[in-house]
Amino acid sequence: KNEVEQSPQNLTAQEGEFITINCSYSVGISALHWLQQHPGGGIVSLFMLSSGKKKHGRLIATINIQEKHSSLHITASHPRDSAVYICARSQGGSEKLVFGKGTKLTVNP
Amino acid sequence: DGGITQSPKYLFRKEGQNVTLSCEQNLNHDAMYWYRQDPGQGLRLIYYSQIVNDFQKGDIAEGYSVSREKKESFPLTVTSAQKNPTAFYLCASSIEAGDTDTQYFGPGTRLTVL
């Protein structure tokens, strides 16, 4: 059983829609990472957060430590946002991240 | 420009052959990682290195080997002992080997064993 669960697995939206991707984890963490993987395969790190909320452009990441849950929101979605979004948790004292399986987002024009 | 390069992007090999995947970084990062990605699964850690001349097994190290002779290079060899080597391989680096450090990923190498 993967310790990091993402939902939905696939998401299709129309341009301009507000997007929410969810991530739940089962153990205490030191930080939660959100990453973006483009169709070519390259991965970029979007956020690392351990509490509250972070915002970068149209992307917003929130985390609720008590509920062991994080969300990634995309406002005014655009076709260029189409990608796989991956969350990963880190547990203090370890060098390893545990990754979710990813959410494939398709934004249609 | 600083970054991580992996070569080649696509690699084909016959079953039973060893193959080495290249990973180079010019970010001056101490830590480097190798991950494997399969369809429908999360990234899985193969090996990681915290510093030159040192490396540790990850969750799926069997059938793989690495070396870290230089800070900027962390090649991965997929040996014939790896039962199912066809996959997408990603290399990453971070300033230090802490899981709260941002990892920077290379573009990946897609290996197909025929």
Side-chain angles (χ1 to χ4, degrees):
Chain A
K1 182 180 185 298
N2 198 352
E3 299 174 43
V4 178
E5 300 290 338
Q6 290 187 236
S7 64
Q9 189 173 348
N10 292 282
L11 181 56
T12 300
Q14 288 300 121
E15 184 172 357
E17 286 185 1
F18 181 82
I19 305 293
T20 296
I21 298 170
N22 297 298
C23 177
S24 299
Y25 49 93
S26 56
V27 298
I29 64 168
S30 54
L32 193 288
H33 303 250
W34 281 102
L35 307 106
Q36 179 190 56
Q37 184 171 31
H38 280 284
I43 293 177
V44 295
S45 179
L46 298 174
F47 296 104
M48 180 175 62
L49 65 165
S50 55
S51 65
K53 179 170 73 174
K54 285 191 176 181
K55 184 176 188 291
H56 181 71
R58 295 180 294 106
L59 301 178
I60 303 166
T62 64
I63 189 167
N64 185 318
I65 297 295
Q66 287 74 26
E67 295 186 3
K68 296 185 173 61
H69 180 268
S70 177
S71 293
L72 177 68
H73 306 285
I74 305 175
T75 61
S77 60
H78 190 276
R80 64 175 174 266
D81 297 325
S82 297
V84 175
Y85 291 85
I86 301 168
C87 72
R89 65 106 172 136
S90 50
Q91 190 172 348
S94 167
E95 295 82 9
K96 295 188 262 186
L97 296 176
V98 177
F99 293 83
K101 295 181 181 181
T103 294
K104 184 176 181 180
L105 171 65
T106 303
V107 182
N108 294 317
Chain B
D1 287 335
I4 301 179
T5 57
Q6 290 185 244
S7 60
K9 189 167 180 64
Y10 299 95
L11 189 55
F12 297 88
R13 279 295 182 269
K14 292 183 179 179
E15 192 173 345
Q17 289 182 334
N18 291 355
V19 60
T20 297
L21 280 59
S22 167
C23 177
E24 304 278 332
Q25 55 97 359
N26 60 4
L27 299 168
N28 201 31
H29 286 172
D30 281 323
M32 298 186 75
Y33 310 80
W34 272 106
Y35 294 97
R36 170 181 172 139
Q37 187 177 38
D38 295 282
Q41 295 197 39
L43 275 70
R44 292 182 290 169
L45 183 65
I46 304 172
Y47 268 98
Y48 65 97
S49 168
Q50 296 174 292
I51 200 166
V52 175
N53 293 323
D54 181 67
F55 48 84
Q56 306 293 329
K57 291 182 178 180
D59 299 317
I60 54 165
E62 185 175 352
Y64 300 97
S65 66
V66 293
S67 63
R68 187 85 187 276
E69 297 176 1
K70 297 185 296 182
K71 187 175 187 176
E72 57 270 22
S73 179
F74 191 41
L76 173 74
T77 297
V78 184
T79 75
S80 57
Q82 168 51 232
K83 299 301 181 190
N84 186 20
T86 294
F88 188 57
Y89 291 87
L90 285 153
C91 179
S93 71
S94 61
I95 293 174
E96 294 180 348
D99 57 6
T100 53
D101 285 307
T102 298
Q103 292 189 15
Y104 296 82
F105 288 82
T109 292
R110 191 167 299 278
L111 173 65
T112 302
V113 176
L114 306 171

